[in-house]
Amino acid sequence: MKKILVRSGMRPIDSFSAEEILTKDRTGYNNGNLAYQYSIFRTLWKEDVELFSDGYFANPNLADEINETYDAYIIPLADAFREDFRWMLRAYTQLIKRLTIPVYVIGVGLRAPYEPKLGEDFIFDEDVKAFVSAVLEKSGQIGLRGEITSEYLTKLGFKEGVDHRVIGCPSLYTFGRELKIRSLDLHKNSPIAINASPVALETSIEFLNKVTAQYGNYNFIPQLYDELFLTYAGGPGVVSDISNYPTSIASKYYQEGKVKYFTSMQAWLDEMKRTSFSIGSRLHGNVTATIVGTPNISFVQDARMRELAAYHQLPHVTAEALTSFNNLEELLEKVDIHSAEKVQAANFDNYLDFLDYNKIDHIYKADKNRKDAPMDSFLKDVEFSKGIVPITACSKEEIFQRLAQVTEIVKEKAVIKVDLEINKREQQIRTLKQNVSNEQRKLQVAEQKIISTEAKNVERDNQLELSAQKLAKTTTELQQKKKEADYYKRTTERKAARMALKVADVFAKKN
């Protein structure tokens, strides 16, 4: 049996209560993570392959254990290329460098404004370079969420089509190659799902309030861990700069008791099947509706949503444009709720090609139109919570019970938070020590080069001095020999002259 480790807080077949998730966050702070992780598990879990969750532990010291236990490491990510995720990227980079098994990144994106300034540098550029380089040493190619992220990595020096390719978000491929969105036939009592983020624009919340005023059978579906705490215990409030965002139980949605928080992806999917329409600024809130065929519209306000909405042709409108619509009906006239169906097959085939390129086995090898999956049989035997309703909708007895539970939860949570912070600081200290060690090694190498160069210079100077001495000696000898030669030359000339005079005298006497 092959074992694969997946970056996630829990497996789709795991069922945790609200109390358990409040004590130890298993969603990565945002339920949207459950969506694409669910898809990864369903696509890769086979009869001879089992997948496990890493619990979001990016600890380099676990490298040996991971190498011994698992055959591969799958890292699905959201908008991980961002400033507040730098420390996690660094931890994963160190971990990946120590791994000997394949490592695959299936979906990652850039967090940036709607109009990203890719010509400028981001503070996390070097961290992204190091992370991507480490992954590419363990796999063939990285899968990206959209074209904006592709342009960003290309700017950093990585080659499109070689080092990376756009695959969109795996969550859209949860149930295979086909999407079939139901026709929309809204009436006054139609069940509506609305979603929003604390960083949403005020125009988004204002429009949602228009929708809920017209369609009273709604549920607000929050996604953040802090919102689970608010829903379960009534506080503390959620932080938001948006004046009309539901930050406390005094807000309209909580006061009306029309809030549902899901602690499992399966329960969330089941709710979307029962829902007639989904709308809001939470991309995965609407993706969850999309993959079960529920009509939906997303409000797009940043680069991460923009590139995904564009690639998958998700029904959407910019948040700024909402002011031009008086009601939902006017918006529906401008948006094609079936648009995602048109590109699903081609996108899905590209996704499978990406998996095959990286030699990642999957359930669609023999039949890319397959509908069932081995993981489905496991899910049938699991009982999931149907969703956490707000404390404002609870009886007195349940309110007292929740408040008693939350006291213990806060204590345990504090301990976990301290342990996590210690681990984070220790990781930062190890990184600093490693950096210092690397610099020291570089300095030692430089010093050795200097010493070696100085020794060579001394040796060269000695050789030059010796050569100069030999040259001086040779010059002196040559000068001495020249003197001797001149002496012998003059002597010879004098002897020759005397001899010539003698011969001349002899001939003179004979005459």
Side-chain angles (χ1 to χ4, degrees), residues 215-352:
Y215 299 94
N217 186 17
Y218 75 89
N219 271 309
F220 173 56
I221 314 294
Q223 289 183 202
L224 299 182
Y225 171 85
D226 289 350
E227 292 176 304
L228 170 59
F229 219 103
L230 175 62
T231 303
Y232 180 89
V238 176
V239 177
S240 176
D241 293 330
I242 309 304
S243 60
N244 53 1
Y245 189 81
T247 57
S248 73
I249 57 172
S251 302
K252 170 188 174 182
Y253 307 149
Y254 289 92
Q255 283 294 301
E256 294 181 1
K258 296 180 178 180
V259 177
K260 277 190 179 180
Y261 192 100
F262 297 101
T263 56
S264 72
M265 189 61 193
Q266 190 59 51
W268 196 359
L269 291 168
D270 291 341
E271 177 71 14
M272 288 300 102
K273 291 176 184 177
R274 295 189 290 267
T275 300
S276 297
F277 181 67
S278 176
I279 186 169
S281 59
R282 279 291 184 190
L283 185 75
H284 282 101
N286 299 314
V287 165
T288 303
T290 300
I291 59 180
V292 296
T294 300
N296 61 88
I297 297 177
S298 295
F299 305 155
V300 174
Q301 68 180 55
D302 56 24
R304 62 192 175 90
M305 295 185 70
R306 177 185 173 187
E307 66 177 359
L308 276 175
Y311 184 75
H312 292 288
Q313 290 192 20
L314 300 173
H316 69 279
V317 62
T318 62
E320 292 86 350
L322 288 171
T323 55
S324 62
F325 301 101
N326 293 315
N327 51 51
L328 178 58
E329 284 66 32
E330 288 186 8
L331 175 58
L332 287 169
E333 290 178 0
K334 299 294 183 180
V335 176
D336 179 8
I337 61 172
H338 296 279
S339 56
E341 298 174 353
K342 303 170 185 176
V343 297
Q344 175 70 4
N347 288 351
F348 182 75
D349 291 347
N350 176 62
Y351 178 59
L352 293 190

Side-chain angles (χ1 to χ4, degrees), residues 3-5 52-53 65-73 101:
K3 295 182 178 180
I4 297 178
L5 188 63
F52 299 85
S53 171
E65 180 181 340
I66 293 173
N67 287 328
E68 293 173 3
T69 309
Y70 302 100
D71 298 284
Y73 196 3
I101 60 174

Side-chain angles (χ1 to χ4, degrees), residues 336-501:
D336 179 8
I337 61 172
H338 296 279
S339 56
E341 298 174 353
K342 303 170 185 176
V343 297
Q344 175 70 4
N347 288 351
F348 182 75
D349 291 347
N350 176 62
Y351 178 59
L352 293 190
D353 187 64
F354 165 79
L355 297 180
D356 293 338
Y357 183 88
N358 279 291
K359 300 180 180 178
I360 304 172
D361 201 6
H362 52 82
I363 64 173
Y364 301 103
K365 277 284 188 180
D367 180 10
K368 65 181 180 181
N369 294 305
R370 180 176 180 172
K371 303 294 184 183
D372 66 316
M375 192 181 80
D376 297 344
S377 60
F378 292 104
L379 291 169
K380 293 177 182 178
D381 300 326
V382 182
E383 185 176 346
F384 296 99
S385 167
K386 296 185 182 301
I388 310 303
V389 299
I391 194 171
T392 51
C394 295
S395 64
K396 286 185 179 180
E397 291 75 14
E398 189 171 358
I399 290 174
F400 293 149
Q401 184 180 4
R402 284 193 182 187
L403 293 178
Q405 284 277 4
V406 83
T407 301
E408 297 303 316
I409 289 171
V410 169
K411 291 179 183 177
E412 292 184 50
K413 185 171 173 285
V415 173
I416 292 173
K417 185 176 181 180
V418 169
D419 290 343
L420 180 63
E421 192 64 27
I422 290 173
N423 180 62
K424 179 179 176 180
R425 298 304 178 193
E426 288 178 345
Q427 180 62 43
Q428 291 173 337
I429 290 171
R430 283 194 293 269
T431 300
L432 289 172
K433 286 182 177 179
Q434 184 65 42
N435 291 340
V436 170
S437 179
N438 290 339
E439 291 302 320
Q440 287 177 337
R441 281 196 293 270
K442 290 179 183 178
L443 182 60
Q444 289 174 351
V445 170
E447 289 177 345
Q448 290 174 354
K449 286 183 178 179
I450 292 172
I451 292 172
S452 176
T453 301
E454 289 179 346
K456 289 179 180 179
N457 288 340
V458 171
E459 183 180 355
R460 185 186 62 189
D461 290 343
N462 290 338
Q463 290 177 346
L464 288 173
E465 178 65 25
L466 183 60
S467 297
Q469 291 175 359
K470 288 181 177 179
L471 180 60
K473 182 179 179 181
T474 301
T475 301
T476 302
E477 291 176 349
L478 288 173
Q479 290 175 346
Q480 183 63 34
K481 290 184 181 297
K482 186 175 182 302
K483 288 180 181 180
E484 292 177 355
D486 290 342
Y487 171 77
Y488 288 126
K489 180 180 179 183
R490 289 193 298 271
T491 303
T492 302
E493 288 175 347
R494 286 196 297 270
K495 288 182 178 179
R498 285 198 293 271
M499 181 63 69
L501 289 174

